[in-house]
């Protein structure tokens, strides 16, 4: 794996989420939820997980009696926080200074992210975004709040970061004694827990990135220990809920946003994506020495294979869609692709390859007009062919 950025690309159901879950377990010895345990396949008699670290191979086997994975000796320890943005909209947080066998990790749902994660005996494991937003904004030292806003704005497109700003906190529910912070948009004031799904994803991610690292630094101070020099971030479906303009912003902005945290930790990212915009977004900053892209696909025996991609720039989202990573013959509708294939076959003189309903030049031309935009570059070639054929 690469030292800075690792992206997993591939079709649905090939195991990208599974790989991220296993990475989380390898780092934290806990699973990101009760239904996220990596159960062996039915009938499997020799299930194992192998981790390559520090030039060594470490193995863990599944114990059917204990219903858990048992690590081998000298399993490598992760001395830094790990943040996992899960595909269900929740987040998992691990900190070696906080978590042990009694409380192996924090798992926040989409609800507890906002309202807080309670502990025992009146304690709070995480007060949640609503309470911390208010607390941080009212403190004499506003560095935490300023860092949160700076990180949040860094993850938004350029035309949003100046147009969205904090608003006043307001009571809204007669049965809820809390004041709820608001964000002021160009179109009005919105409670922060009522913003769009995409903005919730970005704000929640910004909050937990800042909270996780600040909490780690505070725990190091309280315990008289050194802070880790790194933070590991797992992101399942980087593009989830995000408009394409936000998709092409998130990863580049994340790499820069970490530099604004206290003591600027090194960031190592593991993410999955189905979005060509995400791949296009990292072209200017991709460094073969510290970044990698991996492609999951089925081989001839229908086994899942993970190949490291030989990095190349494709320039735009359409070209990425038509690359080996996404596997589309054409970045169009299926109907337009079929019409284009028929037109290309007719131009090559391969009439036998034409489908029954697209046998003639006239039929193909009508289907091209129905499915293709007038600005599509194929029209130049088609018009030349029709003119030469006397059509």
């Amino acid at each position: 794996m690469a030292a800075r950025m690792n992206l997993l690309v591939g079709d649905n159901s090939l195991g990208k989420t599974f790989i991220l879950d296993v990475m989380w377990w390898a780092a934290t010895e806990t699973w990101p939820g009760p239904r996220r345990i990596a159960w062996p396949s039915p009938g499997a008699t020799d299930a194992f997980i192998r981790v390559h670290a520090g030039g060594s191979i470490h193995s863990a086997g599944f114990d059917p009696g204990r219903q858990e994975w048992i690590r081998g000796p000298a399993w490598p320890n992760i001395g830094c926080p790990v943040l996992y943005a899960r595909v269900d909209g929740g987040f998992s947080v691990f900190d070696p200074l906080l978590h042990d066998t009694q409380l192996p990790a924090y798992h926040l749902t989409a609800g507890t992210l906002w309202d807080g994660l309670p502990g025992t005996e009146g304690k709070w494991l995480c007060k949640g975004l609503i309470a911390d937003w208010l607390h941080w904004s009212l403190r004499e030292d506003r560095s935490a709040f300023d860092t949160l806003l700076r990180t949040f704005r860094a993850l938004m497109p350029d035309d949003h970061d100046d147009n969205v700003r904090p608003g006043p906190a307001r009571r809204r529910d007669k049965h809820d004694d809390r004041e709820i912070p608001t964000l002021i948009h160009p179109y009005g004031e919105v409670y922060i827990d009522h913003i769009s799904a995409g903005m919730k994803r970005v704000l929640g991610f910004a909050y937990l990135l800042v909270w996780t690292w600040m909490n780690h630094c505070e725990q190091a101070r309280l315990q008289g220990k050194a802070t880790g020099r790194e933070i590991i971030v797992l992101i399942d479906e980087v593009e989830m809920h995000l408009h394409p303009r936000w998709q092409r912003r998130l990863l580049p902005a994340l790499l820069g946003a970490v530099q604004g945290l206290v003591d600027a930790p090194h960031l190592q990212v593991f993410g999955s994506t189905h979005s060509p915009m995400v791949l296009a977004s990292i072209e200017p900053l991709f460094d073969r020495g510290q970044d990698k892209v991996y492609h999951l696909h089925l081989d001839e025996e229908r086994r899942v294979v993970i190949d490291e991609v030989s990095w190349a720039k494709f320039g735009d989202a359409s070209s990425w869609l038509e690359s080996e990573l996404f596997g589309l013959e054409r970045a169009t509708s299926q109907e337009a692709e079929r019409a284009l294939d028929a037109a290309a076959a007719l131009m090559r003189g391969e009439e036998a390859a034409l489908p029954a309903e697209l046998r003639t030049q006239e039929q193909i031309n009508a289907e091209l007009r129905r499915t293709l935009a007038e600005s599509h570059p194929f029209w130049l070639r088609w018009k030349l062919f029709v003119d030469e054929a006397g059509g």
Side-chain angles (χ1 to χ4, degrees), residues 145-160:
F145 189 64
D146 291 342
T147 302
L148 171 60
L149 289 183
R150 184 169 59 248
T151 305
F152 178 40
R153 285 173 172 151
L155 300 177
M156 292 192 295
D158 291 339
D159 62 344
H160 279 67

Side-chain angles (χ1 to χ4, degrees), residues 3-4 79-83 147 150-151 208-217 227-233 254-269 290:
R4 184 178 67 164
C80 67
V82 186
L83 172 63
T147 302
R150 184 169 59 248
T151 305
L208 276 181
L209 180 65
V210 174
W211 181 88
T212 299
W213 184 250
M214 286 181 50
N215 202 34
H216 177 73
C217 293
T227 61
R229 293 178 294 178
E230 182 178 33
I231 183 168
I232 297 174
V233 174
L254 174 61
L255 295 178
V258 170
Q259 300 307 309
L261 299 179
V262 175
D263 296 331
H266 171 74
L267 172 68
Q268 188 178 31
V269 178
Q290 55 181 346

Side-chain angles (χ1 to χ4, degrees), residues 44-76:
T45 57
D46 187 23
F48 60 87
I49 295 172
R50 287 181 181 155
V51 173
H52 295 250
S56 301
I57 298 177
H58 306 271
S59 295
F62 187 76
D63 185 326
R66 296 169 60 178
Q67 295 280 282
E68 62 183 38
W69 293 89
I70 308 301
R71 297 183 175 194
W75 191 275

Side-chain angles (χ1 to χ4, degrees), residues 18 28 102 185 198 262 264 282 303 328 330 350 365 386:
F18 173 76
T28 70
Q102 297 297 315
H185 296 254
V262 175
I282 64 173
R303 297 175 303 184
L328 293 184
R330 305 179 191 278
E350 299 174 357
N365 189 69
V386 170

